[in-house]
Amino acid sequence: MLKNTLKKIVAGILEWEAKLILKKYQPTIIGITGSVGKTSAKEAIFAVLRTKYKVRQSAKSYNSELGVPLTIINRPTAWRSLTGWLQNIFEGLALIIFPNRYPDYLVLEIGADRPGDIKKIARWLKPATAVITRLPDVPVHIEFFKTKESLIQEKLSLAKAVRKDGVVILNIDDDNIRPIVDSLETKVLTYGFNQQAEVWASDDHIRYDGDRPDGLAYKLNYQGRSVPVRVRGAIGRHHIYTTLAACAVGLTHGLNEVEIAEAIGDFATPPGRMRLIPGIKDTLIIDDTYNASPAAVEAGLLTAAEVKIKGRQIAVLADMLELGEYTIEAHKQIGKLLAGQTDLLLLVGLRAKFIAEGAMAAGLSADKINYFDDATAAGKYLQNLIKAGDLIYIKGSQSMRMEKAVEEIMAEPERKAELLCRQETEWRNR
């Protein structure tokens, strides 16, 4: 009780400071939400805008009632340190009282764990631009919402909070987003693979360096013009969507197509989001361990199936959390998808047994499925299982810590702090 009370007090103080800081320095605010791809879109937008402006982005996934004000103040979380939180408050006061050089742009990720989370932040944030990435039929974090529609409306509250002279950037390919395009009072700019979008991609494909994939390529189309774009070190069509969102933001804020394409070519996707990592024994890992939702797992598996490899397709999957009533069926549906494309399946967690049920019902032999209590055990088993040419796709919800499985089989474990997600001391000690 005391802990929650203190948290509310600190959050209230930081929010008050954040409001005054925004009023004083008046940065242009880009707000990003959605159920899939928020962080990757944030990183890509930051990479594009920083080529022309002084920009600050949300650190990691600072997207909550605490995280957003901390980004505005430019302070890290203090975790359980009272002294650290007091220092954050004093730093906020200093920004209010004394002159300071402040960023031209703030790129802020905004998430929703419970009803009202986004609406509360959006009410005082008042972004100049809102980006909605994707709202799939079975979204993550639906556990605390009564219906899928109520979660979608919560996400869309960011778009409705945009200033009248602002712009809302929407993924027109998303069936749950398309119906709202005409209902918004502000300017709307759409992106996707659909040629009806203002900003659209074509001719997308996986790039190879010899016989190994090393990224993506596509054509960016806008107002009759077309430029080639490359995304390095990661694969998956959803990375094209996140970079398209960044293209749309850049075009809205004074950059041209060539400048944007060059910025994305220099952009490295965040750790744990379909990153290509060399594995031991001349294998290749698709590290998709940051988090998991049904839509993201499906997209990752379909992408892995497209990769041309000499060896086997191996999937290492863990529980997908916060799905509420969708939990059993969502896991079974992933299993059905796996049956036709995976040579070996490793599962971690209690809910993952439903993946196995779905896979076996669709024809995957039980002797190709193995169960493990945790990610490290799965990774150690993989060390003896994998062979040259194998492709290993690894994914699970954040608390399943599937990056630990990647660590066991990556060719350069000494680079784990650079290549893997959740490498901070606080996470490593959990």
Side-chain angles (χ1 to χ4, degrees):
M1 177 71 76
L2 179 61
K3 180 181 176 181
N4 288 334
T5 301
L6 288 173
K7 180 180 177 181
K8 288 181 180 179
I9 292 171
V10 170
I13 294 171
L14 293 176
E15 180 183 309
W16 172 77
E17 291 182 340
K19 291 176 182 176
L20 291 179
I21 290 167
L22 295 181
K23 185 176 181 180
K24 177 178 179 180
Y25 296 102
Q26 298 189 356
T28 299
I29 296 172
I30 313 293
I32 305 150
T33 196
S35 293
V36 178
K38 294 188 298 295
T39 302
S40 294
K42 175 202 70 179
E43 298 278 354
I45 291 167
F46 173 76
V48 167
L49 290 179
R50 71 178 177 179
T51 62
K52 189 170 184 177
Y53 304 105
K54 181 176 171 60
V55 187
R56 179 186 302 158
Q57 63 172 332
S58 302
K60 301 158 191 169
S61 291
Y62 279 24
N63 60 17
S64 64
E65 63 176 348
L66 277 174
V68 172
L70 283 173
T71 301
I72 293 169
I73 298 170
N74 197 27
R75 293 294 300 169
T77 179
W79 297 93
R80 298 178 182 177
S81 169
L82 178 59
T83 303
W85 286 115
L86 288 173
Q87 184 176 355
N88 287 345
I89 290 170
F90 287 131
E91 291 289 342
L93 287 172
L95 271 176
I96 295 166
I97 297 170
F98 302 107
N100 200 294
R101 187 169 177 229
Y102 201 78
D104 305 312
Y105 280 78
L106 294 177
V107 181
L108 304 176
E109 179 182 338
I110 303 168
D113 290 329
R114 287 172 170 78
D117 283 354
I118 293 177
K119 189 176 292 185
K120 182 175 182 250
I121 294 172
R123 190 180 297 121
W124 60 266
L125 196 63
K126 298 178 182 177
T129 301
V131 179
I132 314 294
T133 58
R134 188 180 173 195
L135 303 174
D137 288 333
V138 185
V140 71
H141 302 314
I142 197 171
E143 184 176 10
F144 299 105
F145 290 81
K146 291 182 179 180
T147 64
K148 177 192 78 173
E149 288 71 25
S150 64
L151 175 54
I152 289 173
Q153 288 305 311
E154 182 67 32
K155 299 283 186 179
L156 294 178
S157 62
L158 181 66
K160 295 173 183 177
V162 168
R163 299 179 338 209
K164 290 185 178 180
D165 61 343
V167 61
V168 178
I169 295 173
L170 300 175
N171 179 351
I172 196 66
D173 293 349
D174 191 313
D175 292 339
N176 291 313
I177 291 178
R178 196 180 304 114
I180 70 149
V181 172
D182 295 329
S183 67
L184 296 172
E185 296 179 2
T186 52
K187 178 184 176 182
V188 173
L189 185 67
T190 59
Y191 69 91
F193 285 84
N194 190 326
Q195 293 187 32
Q196 292 180 348
E198 283 98 337
V199 181
W200 56 284
S202 61
D203 299 331
D204 61 302
H205 58 277
I206 297 173
R207 295 174 55 222
Y208 288 83
D209 181 7
D211 61 356
R212 290 228 168 188
D214 71 350
L216 296 165
Y218 66 94
K219 287 183 180 179
L220 167 65
N221 303 281
Y222 179 67
Q223 293 185 345
R225 299 183 296 274
S226 178
V227 297
V229 178
R230 290 185 174 183
V231 180
R232 61 186 176 89
I235 56 175
R237 223 180 196 208
H238 43 296
H239 280 306
I240 298 179
Y241 277 112
T242 58
T243 55
L244 277 177
C247 293
V249 171
L251 290 165
T252 303
H253 292 276
L255 282 83
N256 63 46
E257 299 92 329
V258 174
E259 292 171 327
I260 291 167
E262 289 177 351
I264 292 173
D266 293 332
F267 161 66
T269 58
R273 282 88 163 181
M274 296 296 287
R275 287 278 288 266
L276 298 168
I277 297 179
I280 60 173
K281 300 181 180 179
D282 195 29
T283 60
L284 184 64
I285 305 163
I286 301 178
D287 175 13
D288 203 16
T289 58
Y290 176 73
N291 208 346
S293 67
V297 177
E298 180 181 346
L301 288 170
L302 291 174
T303 298
E306 293 177 8
V307 179
K308 300 171 185 175
I309 57 171
K310 294 180 180 179
R312 300 167 296 176
Q313 287 268 357
I314 301 173
V316 187
L317 302 178
D319 292 354
M320 298 181 292
L321 305 178
E322 299 181 359
L323 298 180
E325 64 181 285
Y326 296 94
T327 296
I328 294 175
E329 185 57 29
H331 284 81
K332 286 184 176 180
Q333 288 298 323
I334 294 300
K336 291 177 183 177
L337 177 65
L338 281 162
Q341 71 174 61
T342 300
D343 297 302
L344 295 167
L345 175 60
L346 280 63
L347 298 172
V348 178
L350 296 173
R351 297 164 186 80
K353 69 180 182 180
F354 298 115
I355 297 177
E357 289 183 13
M360 288 188 289
L364 187 66
S365 174
D367 62 7
K368 294 184 177 181
I369 304 174
N370 291 276
Y371 299 89
F372 301 89
D373 292 332
D374 57 58
T376 300
K380 290 185 181 298
Y381 181 82
L382 275 171
Q383 291 177 355
N384 298 317
L385 174 73
I386 55 180
K387 302 175 182 178
D390 287 348
L391 181 70
I392 306 106
Y393 174 74
I394 306 180
K395 191 167 183 66
S397 276
Q398 188 175 75
S399 61
M400 302 305 293
R401 304 302 303 279
M402 293 305 289
E403 74 277 3
K404 293 183 178 182
V406 180
E407 183 178 341
E408 294 295 329
I409 61 168
M410 63 191 298
E412 300 174 286
E414 67 275 10
R415 297 180 63 198
K416 64 185 179 183
E418 170 194 352
L419 298 176
L420 304 185
C421 57
R422 290 181 289 273
Q423 295 302 297
E424 300 84 1
T425 301
E426 293 83 5
W427 274 108
R428 300 279 302 174
N429 291 337
R430 291 187 184 185

